[in-house]
Amino acid sequence: MQALIFDFDGTILDTEKSEFQAWQEVYQAHGAELTLEYWLPFIGNNSIPFDPAGNLEQLVGMPLDKESIERWVDERKQSLNQSLQPLPGVLDYLEAAQAMGLGLAVASSSRRAWVEGHLERLGLLGYFQVIRTKEDVTLTKPDPALFLRAAEGLGVLPQETIVLEDSLNGVRAAKAAGAFTVAIPNTLTRHLDLSQADLVLTRLDDLALWDLLRIAQQKGDVGLLPVV
């Protein structure tokens, strides 16, 4: 194994929770409920139409000022995100990977400005040699293109990478790319079946990077069961 490829939203920073909370508040203000059943398919996937404001409009049965709602959600989401810190284990993995000489990349279905802006704010941008976002591919996750482009940018084969993901769409994309795939579900994606991953962790800091590398190296020798 030559490199680690991180997803961003929900894996490095729990921005997914912030966006869900912001939309929940809007729905509640209109006497409606935003369900996880509606929300979960969109996590880690910008390839399908995402229109929670339109969904809310259907639920309340009347026209809404969708532009105003979306503007409020963006501002509320930004406010919530400013207080977020990297998820447990992320910084330890970055420092350990750097010390071991492993390549580091981010592969995200979000916009480049969004990903790089948060990484810079957190002081993490300098750890990554490669960042691939929705601007770099035609199709985002669950298509494997983002992970293939990230591996290419690092100069390694996809089979030589470990992907860290939190969503079902991300896991499917990483597996399709041929990477050893680790799922670390967050407060939202823990409701998804992520058993397609080679390994499932409750938290990233439940397993040291050295131990993860050992497990990934042995994957061809023994059958792996998800660890929850």
Side-chain angles (χ1 to χ4, degrees):
M1 292 297 165
Q2 302 296 316
L4 299 183
I5 303 177
F6 284 77
D7 169 52
F8 179 72
D9 294 289
T11 301
I12 291 178
L13 201 66
D14 199 2
T15 56
E16 290 167 354
K17 181 180 178 181
S18 299
E19 185 168 15
F20 184 64
Q21 179 181 333
W23 278 108
Q24 272 189 317
E25 292 173 3
V26 169
Y27 274 58
Q28 290 167 0
H30 288 82
E33 180 186 3
L34 176 60
T35 65
L36 272 173
E37 182 181 11
Y38 170 80
W39 191 264
L40 287 174
F42 297 109
I43 294 179
N45 186 359
N46 284 338
S47 298
I48 55 177
F50 177 60
D51 186 17
N55 179 60
L56 176 59
E57 198 172 59
Q58 291 180 349
L59 290 176
V60 300
M62 58 182 291
L64 299 174
D65 185 350
K66 294 198 289 185
E67 287 188 7
S68 176
I69 288 174
E70 289 169 356
R71 192 161 51 246
W72 185 92
V73 167
D74 281 342
E75 292 173 359
R76 176 62 172 150
K77 183 174 61 174
Q78 292 289 352
S79 174
L80 291 169
N81 284 338
Q82 289 306 308
S83 64
L84 294 179
Q85 292 299 310
L87 285 162
V90 169
L91 184 57
D92 290 339
Y93 262 55
L94 292 176
E95 290 178 343
Q98 192 174 67
M100 294 177 190
L102 298 175
L104 285 166
V106 171
S108 171
S109 294
S110 294
R111 302 184 312 275
R112 178 174 295 275
W114 169 265
V115 173
E116 291 187 349
H118 279 295
L119 289 175
E120 187 170 15
R121 175 180 69 82
L122 296 167
L124 302 181
L125 185 59
Y127 282 98
F128 297 99
Q129 294 93 54
V130 171
I131 295 177
R132 294 290 180 262
T133 61
K134 64 180 296 182
E135 290 93 339
D136 298 308
V137 295
T138 303
L139 295 174
T140 56
K141 305 169 190 176
D143 189 273
L146 278 165
F147 293 119
L148 295 174
R149 291 292 306 279
E152 180 184 26
L154 290 170
V156 300
L157 297 173
Q159 295 83 357
E160 296 174 326
T161 68
I162 296 175
V163 167
L164 305 173
E165 263 287 355
D166 74 297
S167 73
L168 179 57
N169 290 312
V171 167
R172 286 172 172 166
K175 291 295 293 180
F180 184 88
T181 306
V182 181
I184 314 103
N186 57 42
T187 52
L188 294 179
T189 57
R190 67 185 180 188
H191 300 282
L192 296 170
D193 179 7
L194 301 176
S195 60
Q196 294 179 34
D198 295 291
L199 194 66
V200 181
L201 301 175
T202 303
R203 291 165 41 129
L204 187 57
D205 59 357
D206 283 344
L207 188 68
L209 177 56
W210 180 258
D211 291 324
L212 174 56
L213 289 170
R214 177 178 51 80
I215 291 171
Q217 295 284 12
Q218 294 172 348
K219 68 175 182 177
D221 301 325
V222 294
L224 293 177
L225 294 176
V227 177
V228 179

